[in-house]
Amino acid sequence: MLPWAAAALLLALSSIGFQLGRRRAFVSVGGQTRQLHSLPGYHGLFVGLGAFLPGAVALLVGIFVVRSMPSDTSRDVIWAAIAAATFAAAAIGLAWAQRHISAQFRARNAVERAVMVLLIVCSLLSILTTVGIVLSLVFEALRFFAKVSPIEFLFGLQWSPQMAIRADQVGQTGAFGAVPVFAGTLLITVIAMVVAVPIGLMAAIYLSDYAGKRVRNWAKPLIEILAGIPTVVYGFFAALTVAPLVRGAGAAIGLDVASESALAAGLVMGVMIIPFISSLSDDVMNAVPQSLRDGAYALGATKSETIRQVVVPAALPGIMGGVLLAVSRAIGETMIVVMAAGLTARLTANPLEAVTTVTVQIVTLLVGDQEFDSPKTLAAFALGLVLFVVTLILNIVALHIVKKYREQYE
């Protein structure tokens, strides 16, 4: 309870500081209250922030100290000291801010500077988080590549990361050729995009240029519901409904379809990412100026010709952004692949066979009690690093496309 008590105490002092600072913008003359400053709220914010910021820093430092202590240490006294330190820091900050404020004080400028500093800190926090994630992947991947050749990992054709126990198993240190894993990821992503791009783009065209207002108001939210369904539900749907249908349809025409196939996973994944394409494309097409459409109509173009030759080219940067966002979403999907495509790392282009993806293998390698010094566990970080590089390249390509066509049509 002590951490929450310290936080509540900090908020109470900040609220008190806000009221005290706001009152300094008023003065009583002849029994009447006169406002000496046009922005009393900024005076209150200045004092409130003066109390909140030092107290928040003290509380965060205290939490960090407690987290770094051994678990068997009695923490009640330490939390009491942290609460007292938080109160003291907030009280000192409140007193300092209250002393420096007056009716003539330009509190707005000080508050704006404080807000700017806060925004800079939040931006740096996001950047540092990204840097930390990348560095953690790089360092662990380097440990993996010190034990397994990068050439074998990037160009090997057999993926069997379990460590061998007997001499007759696949290698004494496993087989870490990641080509089958990335081939499975690419196969399922291509199937998903073949389903999602045409349907999503045509849905966006219909909603933006053909559908009436009433139809659009209920059709677009219904399509976007697909993005809110948990992926485990899609996985159950793929495993229990789509996979048997695919297997039955294949058997009806004489094809041998595995019980878990890339086709079943890709079909369901394509349905899942339709809203990413349709919603973004619809918004971008609606943002195309009506004057462009009117100009095409004035030249004698039909509605379909206007959409093909004017609207879609003008909205192409946003459409490509939505498509690449959907690609990234498909690459990172796990549950649907686990439940509908299996765990078999197989180098094949046949969508009727079982395959696996990078994210599935990362989860598989890190499940359970694992030694982080073994190549089997470190392989997950190598896969994650390569996946990060691929996603980064996709983002760079998207930015290049957006820049190129935006210059052309703006």
Side-chain angles (χ1 to χ4, degrees), residues 218-239:
W218 64 261
K220 186 173 182 180
L222 287 178
I223 295 176
E224 292 177 348
I225 287 177
L226 294 174
I229 299 176
T231 55
V232 66
V233 176
Y234 280 111
F236 277 117
F237 176 67

Side-chain angles (χ1 to χ4, degrees), residues 246-337:
V246 171
R247 188 168 59 252
I253 59 176
L255 294 177
D256 185 15
V257 182
S259 59
E260 295 175 328
S261 63
L263 181 59
L267 291 175
V268 177
M269 192 182 300
V271 173
M272 181 189 69
I273 61 179
I274 285 174
F276 291 91
I277 299 175
S278 65
S279 182
L280 291 175
S281 300
D282 175 40
D283 294 337
V284 173
M285 289 180 183
N286 279 317
V288 174
Q290 184 63 33
S291 59
L292 294 180
R293 294 180 170 88
D294 295 338
Y297 295 147
L299 293 174
T302 63
K303 176 169 284 191
S304 62
E305 291 173 339
T306 301
I307 293 172
R308 292 197 314 269
Q309 300 178 17
V310 177
V311 177
V312 172
L316 190 59
I319 294 173
M320 290 303 301
V323 170
L324 291 176
L325 175 63
V327 171
S328 300
R329 182 69 179 85
I331 291 175
E333 177 53 38
T334 304
M335 288 304 301
I336 295 176
V337 181

Side-chain angles (χ1 to χ4, degrees), residues 68-81:
S68 61
M69 295 177 61
S71 58
D72 56 349
T73 305
S74 178
R75 301 183 179 182
D76 291 340
V77 177
I78 298 174
W79 275 119

Side-chain angles (χ1 to χ4, degrees), residues 73-408:
T73 305
S74 178
R75 301 183 179 182
D76 291 340
V77 177
I78 298 174
W79 275 119
I82 292 172
T86 301
F87 175 80
I92 293 172
L94 189 152
W96 178 87
Q98 181 75 1
R99 180 180 178 182
H100 283 73
I101 202 170
S102 64
Q104 293 76 27
F105 180 68
R106 301 301 179 189
R108 180 176 63 180
N109 297 337
V111 172
E112 291 292 338
R113 286 195 298 270
V115 171
M116 184 183 69
V117 172
L118 179 62
L119 294 176
I120 292 174
V121 170
C122 292
S123 301
L124 291 176
L125 182 62
S126 302
I127 295 172
L128 292 176
T129 301
T130 303
V131 172
I133 293 173
V134 174
L135 291 179
S136 64
L137 287 175
V138 169
F139 290 147
E140 297 299 328
L142 289 177
R143 293 177 59 193
F144 171 76
F145 289 129
K147 300 181 179 182
V148 177
S149 170
I151 303 299
E152 176 189 351
F153 177 77
L154 295 175
F155 302 102
L157 302 181
Q158 189 169 11
W159 177 260
S160 180
Q162 69 274 8
M163 303 304 294
I165 300 176
R166 303 187 311 272
D168 58 345
Q169 289 183 336
V170 182
Q172 290 296 321
T173 58
F176 294 95
V179 172
V181 179
F182 289 104
T185 303
L186 179 62
L187 178 61
I188 294 179
T189 302
V190 168
I191 296 172
M193 298 312 297
V194 168
V195 173
V197 172
I199 296 177
L201 187 56
M202 290 179 185
I205 291 173
Y206 172 74
L207 291 176
S208 63
D209 285 271
Y210 288 95
K213 186 176 180 180
R214 292 182 60 184
V215 176
R216 175 184 168 84
N217 287 339
W218 64 261
K220 186 173 182 180
L222 287 178
I223 295 176
E224 292 177 348
I225 287 177
L226 294 174
I229 299 176
T231 55
V232 66
V233 176
Y234 280 111
F236 277 117
F237 176 67
L240 301 179
T241 304
V242 177
L245 287 177
V246 171
R247 188 168 59 252
I253 59 176
L255 294 177
D256 185 15
V257 182
S259 59
E260 295 175 328
S261 63
L263 181 59
L267 291 175
V268 177
M269 192 182 300
V271 173
M272 181 189 69
I273 61 179
I274 285 174
F276 291 91
I277 299 175
S278 65
S279 182
L280 291 175
S281 300
D282 175 40
D283 294 337
V284 173
M285 289 180 183
N286 279 317
V288 174
Q290 184 63 33
S291 59
L292 294 180
R293 294 180 170 88
D294 295 338
Y297 295 147
L299 293 174
T302 63
K303 176 169 284 191
S304 62
E305 291 173 339
T306 301
I307 293 172
R308 292 197 314 269
Q309 300 178 17
V310 177
V311 177
V312 172
L316 190 59
I319 294 173
M320 290 303 301
V323 170
L324 291 176
L325 175 63
V327 171
S328 300
R329 182 69 179 85
I331 291 175
E333 177 53 38
T334 304
M335 288 304 301
I336 295 176
V337 181
V338 170
M339 303 177 73
L343 301 174
T344 304
R346 180 180 288 110
L347 182 58
T348 179
N350 185 359
L352 304 181
E353 295 183 2
V355 295
T356 189
T357 62
V358 174
T359 53
V360 172
Q361 287 300 310
I362 291 175
V363 172
T364 304
L365 293 172
L366 296 179
V367 168
D369 296 331
Q370 303 287 346
E371 295 182 0
F372 272 81
D373 290 332
S374 67
K376 176 182 178 180
T377 305
L378 295 175
F381 296 96
L383 291 172
L385 180 61
V386 177
L387 187 63
F388 172 80
V389 172
V390 171
T391 306
L392 180 62
I393 293 173
L394 286 175
N395 289 331
I396 294 174
V397 171
L399 290 175
H400 176 73
I401 293 174
V402 169
K403 182 179 179 180
K404 177 180 177 181
Y405 288 98
R406 180 172 293 168
E407 290 176 352
Q408 182 175 352

